[in-house]
């Protein structure tokens, strides 16, 4: 079989790889996007769809800034994708709330947001802690158990499946080559000279981007990179459609453009186990019904679990290999939120061949630092 050459290979056709591939194609690079296929773990097809800022970057203001930057890029990305593909990604950014179901939760949340505002420094962080009475004016049918919430103007949500489809369509219609059922099973690396083997053939390029989600953990060492990601399970329930009730998303409850209410999402350390667990589903439903008692009247029509792609500290990993320049890695557990940054900020850096210093704190080198004595 002949080797297919290109300017750059992107490994992984989920939200991270597709956003980067779309951006690289936009930079004029001949781009090949390789994807394993339906049997792979695919967070991009099982997530909650928040474009979420307010809780990102506690103790890591550089992550807060990157997330805010991405939320700011989202309207441009959504408009560009709609113009190119006709697909509406259902982006709404009306602000969002994190509901607190006890005084303790409210106090803890308030402390956390205040700390993040201090950490943000001159960059600023707009938020408010809102008490129940005012919140009840904003969110109809609020349950008596809700004592208040944190609110920020930056938050929103979108349809993650529409986003994934739009990124793929925009990429291929612009001349990008998408190759499904092409799991990278091996490869060779030299500076600016990479070759990978798949069942769909051999591919070669002077640049490669590893964006294979949980698959990156195995692939990275071949290319002189380190991406110690682990799975973290999340379970989601979806109700039947309701009339439009919720004017803004909450951290674990949001109404989709179609009217269904999504209830999420657990955080479980169970390895690669993708089964659903009724006790966890019950907890998710119970918290939703405490927040909005009318939700208990709606039928659950779908439920699933999916695996997040988590670094040890929960932050993204972006790196270029020192040993094999031209090899990049990109991993995160907020691939919907960060799609704007990946397509419009990260891809141009990769096209230039240099990651901006703003991404230095996201290098996996942070895991090499010995713990302070
Ligand atoms: C329950 C849950 C809720 C979430 N909620 C949100 C949310 O509200 N907002 C938000 O921003 N994010 C959310 N996320 C996170 C978001 O879904 C992920 O950050 C994002 O999908 C990660 O995308 P990815 O492309 O890195 O990984 P994946 O979607 O896992 O895709 C990886 C791709 O790589 C391919 N692959 C793997 N190995 C290979 C290989 N060797 N060769 C070729 N291809 C390979 C696979 O086929 C797959 O398509 C949530 C995740 C979960 C699980």
């Amino acid at each position: 079989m002949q080797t297919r050459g290109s300017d750059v290979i992107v490994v992984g056709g989920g939200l991270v790889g597709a956003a980067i591939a779309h951006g690289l194609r936009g930079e004029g690079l001949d781009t090949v996007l390789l994807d394993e296929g339906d049997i792979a773990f695919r967070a991009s097809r099982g997530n909650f769809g928040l474009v979420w800022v307010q809780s990102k970057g506690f103790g890591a203001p550089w992550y807060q800034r990157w997330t805010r930057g991405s939320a700011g890029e989202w309207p441009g990305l959504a408009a560009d994708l709609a113009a190119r593909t006709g697909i509406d990604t259902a982006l709404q950014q009306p602000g969002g709330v994190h509901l607190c179901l006890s005084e303790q939760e409210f106090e803890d949340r308030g402390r956390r947001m205040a700390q993040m505002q201090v950490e943000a420094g001159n960059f600023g962080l707009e938020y408010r802690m809102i008490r129940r009475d005012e919140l009840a004016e904003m969110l109809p049918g609020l349950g008596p158990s809700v004592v208040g919430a944190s609110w920020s103007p930056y938050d929103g949500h979108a349809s993650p499946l529409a986003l994934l489809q739009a990124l793929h369509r925009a990429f291929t219609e612009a001349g990008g080559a998408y190759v499904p059922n092409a799991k990278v099973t091996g490869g060779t690396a030299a500076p600016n000279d990479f070759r990978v083997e798949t069942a769909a053939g051999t591919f070669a390029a002077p640049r490669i981007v590893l964006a294979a989600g949980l698959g990156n953990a195995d692939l990275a060492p071949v290319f002189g990179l380190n991406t110690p990601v682990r799975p973290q399970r999340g379970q989601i329930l979806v109700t039947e459609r309701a009339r439009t009730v919720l004017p803004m998303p909450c951290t674990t409850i949001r109404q989709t453009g179609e009217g269904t209410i999504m209830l999420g999402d657990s955080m479980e350390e169970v390895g690669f186990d993708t089964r659903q667990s009724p006790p966890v589903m019950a907890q998710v439903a119970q918290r939703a019904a405490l927040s909005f008692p009318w939700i208990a009247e709606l039928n659950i029509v779908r439920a699933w679990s999916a695996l997040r792609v988590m670094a040890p500290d929960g932050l993204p990993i972006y790196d270029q290999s020192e040993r094999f320049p031209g090899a990049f890695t990109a991993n995160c557990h907020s691939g919907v939120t960060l799609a704007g940054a990946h397509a419009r900020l990260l891809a141009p850096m990769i096209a230039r061949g240099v990651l901006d210093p703003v991404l230095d704190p996201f290098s996996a080198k942070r895991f090499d630092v010995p713990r302070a004595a």
Side-chain angles (χ1 to χ4, degrees), residues 16 35-36 40-41 43-44 47-48 50 184 265 332-337:
V16 175
D35 192 48
E36 177 175 357
F41 297 107
S44 301
N47 67 67
F48 199 63
L50 292 177
V184 172
D265 39 345
C332 72
H333 81 90
S334 293
V336 184
T337 307

Side-chain angles (χ1 to χ4, degrees), residues 139-155:
L139 297 169
L142 200 65
S145 313
V146 179
V147 304
S150 59
W151 168 89
S152 99
Y154 314 113
D155 300 313

Side-chain angles (χ1 to χ4, degrees), residues 200-218:
T202 303
F203 298 83
R207 240 166 257 178
I208 188 164
V209 183
L210 304 184
L214 291 166
N216 267 5
D218 288 339

Side-chain angles (χ1 to χ4, degrees), residues 10-72:
V10 179
V11 184
L15 282 172
V16 175
I20 294 171
H22 167 61
L24 289 171
R25 186 65 203 123
E27 295 290 311
L29 269 65
D30 178 12
T31 307
V32 168
L33 177 58
L34 304 174
D35 192 48
E36 177 175 357
D38 284 341
I39 54 158
F41 297 107
R42 288 167 142 178
S44 301
R45 289 160 198 250
N47 67 67
F48 199 63
L50 292 177
V51 178
W52 204 250
V53 176
Q54 65 167 282
S55 41
K56 303 288 172 58
F58 182 66
W62 54 92
Y63 182 35
Q64 170 74 216
R65 283 197 285 277
W66 182 242
T67 305
R68 283 258 294 282
S70 190

